[in-house]
């Protein structure tokens, strides 16, 4: 049971690579990913931000490559910019290809022109958005609800842009809003209405827009 889980056990699980979602599936009862997150934060079990050592420990690393981990005791960087978090597209595949990286790069370059600090979260090293000098903070990490919330909270971000990263950011837009994240641009409710075929079909019917016959298959 989640309420009986010790903080030490939670910490071991997180250091071993278990996500909040996986822990929720393993404990007894109807427990959600956000339930586990809330319990973990109450326990004081939080990740730290580390800098990737690109100098093989020969010289101090100054490159803008960051990641989140539980296997550490303190942060390698300070958080005082309250930048805007931009979510990338992850790996290239159908629905998330190179055009979304162009969108991500355009977003962080526009933020720079506006004089606003940018925080990039993406895990594809083949993209321009993950060049160390394109943004103020670059996180090489997974594009999951848990990790986005971790980065958003530790950075004290003023908002998050989900609309330039393709399918993955769009999928977690609504859960992010429900978690209290300031989602910039198109509202998560409208993103969900466009993404959900049944909701979008109902919208077309209400607006009198003709559509071909369709069926959702699983």
């Amino acid at each position: 049971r989640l309420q009986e889980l010790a903080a030490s056990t939670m910490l071991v699980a997180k250091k071993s690579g278990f996500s909040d979602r996986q822990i929720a599936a393993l404990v007894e009862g109807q427990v959600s990913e956000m339930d586990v997150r809330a319990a973990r934060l109450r326990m004081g079990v939080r990740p730290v931000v580390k800098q990737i050592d690109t100098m093989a420990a020969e010289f101090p690393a100054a490159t803008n490559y960051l990641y989140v981990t539980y296997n550490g005791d303190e942060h390698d960087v300070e958080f005082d910019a309250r930048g805007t978090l931009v979510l990338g597209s992850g790996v290239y595949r159908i629905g998330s290809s190179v055009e979304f990286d162009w969108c991500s790069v355009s977003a962080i370059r526009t933020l720079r022109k506006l004089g606003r600090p940018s925080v990039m979260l993406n895990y594809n090293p083949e993209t321009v958005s993950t060049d160390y000098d394109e943004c103020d903070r670059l996180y090489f990490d997974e594009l999951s609800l848990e990790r986005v919330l971790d980065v958003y909270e530790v950075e004290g971000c003023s908002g998050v842009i989900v609309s330039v990263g393709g399918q993955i950011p769009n999928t977690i837009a609504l859960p992010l809003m429900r978690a209290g994240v300031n989602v910039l641009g198109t509202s998560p409710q409208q993103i969900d209405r466009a993404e959900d075929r049944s909701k979008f079909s109902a919208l077309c019917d209400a607006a009198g827009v003709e559509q071909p016959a369709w069926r959702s298959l699983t």
Side-chain angles (χ1 to χ4, degrees):
R1 297 171 63 87
L2 181 60
Q3 57 267 35
E4 298 173 357
L5 197 63
S8 58
T9 303
M10 178 71 79
L11 181 58
V12 169
K14 299 305 290 183
K15 284 186 174 182
S16 300
F18 285 88
S19 67
D20 289 346
R21 186 175 182 178
Q22 289 173 320
I23 295 173
L26 293 172
V27 297
E28 294 182 6
Q30 297 295 320
V31 178
S32 70
E33 175 182 1
M34 295 307 294
D35 291 332
V36 173
R37 180 178 184 84
R40 175 170 58 76
L41 295 179
R42 287 195 299 269
M43 295 173 185
V45 179
R46 299 172 181 268
V48 294
V49 174
K50 289 296 182 181
Q51 194 172 40
I52 297 175
D53 184 4
T54 57
M55 303 301 293
E58 294 182 10
F59 304 97
T63 46
N64 193 25
Y65 295 129
L66 306 173
Y67 66 101
V68 177
T69 180
Y70 286 86
N71 291 288
D73 298 319
E74 60 183 9
H75 300 298
D76 285 351
V77 294
E78 297 181 354
F79 310 100
D80 52 13
R82 286 186 51 80
T84 300
L85 178 58
V86 179
L87 303 185
S89 59
V91 298
Y92 290 161
R93 58 183 176 277
I94 296 175
S96 294
S97 193
V98 68
E99 64 267 21
F100 289 109
D101 189 57
W102 181 89
C103 293
S104 299
V105 172
S106 297
I108 56 182
R109 288 180 179 177
T110 299
L111 289 169
R112 178 171 291 177
K113 289 180 181 179
L114 294 173
R116 300 181 180 180
S118 60
V119 181
M120 186 72 207
L121 175 57
N122 201 359
Y123 58 81
N124 188 348
E126 298 179 340
T127 60
V128 178
S129 63
T130 49
D131 286 352
Y132 73 93
D133 56 352
E134 282 290 344
C135 54
D136 297 292
R137 286 285 171 87
L138 170 60
Y139 283 84
F140 271 112
D141 225 313
E142 62 185 41
L143 287 161
S144 64
L145 175 62
E146 177 180 348
R147 189 59 74 240
V148 173
L149 289 174
D150 288 338
V151 174
Y152 181 86
E153 292 175 2
V154 74
E155 285 282 351
C157 293
S158 58
V160 58
I161 299 175
V162 303
S163 55
V164 295
Q167 192 60 57
I168 298 176
N170 280 343
T171 300
I172 62 175
L174 202 56
L176 285 173
M177 185 204 69
R178 291 169 178 163
V181 170
N182 179 28
V183 179
L184 303 175
T186 304
S187 72
Q189 295 99 324
Q190 296 306 322
I191 292 176
D192 179 63
R193 181 174 292 182
E195 288 282 315
D196 188 297
R197 286 176 172 79
S198 296
K199 294 179 181 178
F200 187 75
S201 178
L203 179 64
C204 289
D205 289 339
V209 176
E210 295 185 358
Q211 54 183 312
W214 65 278
R215 179 176 295 178
S216 179
L217 302 177
T218 58

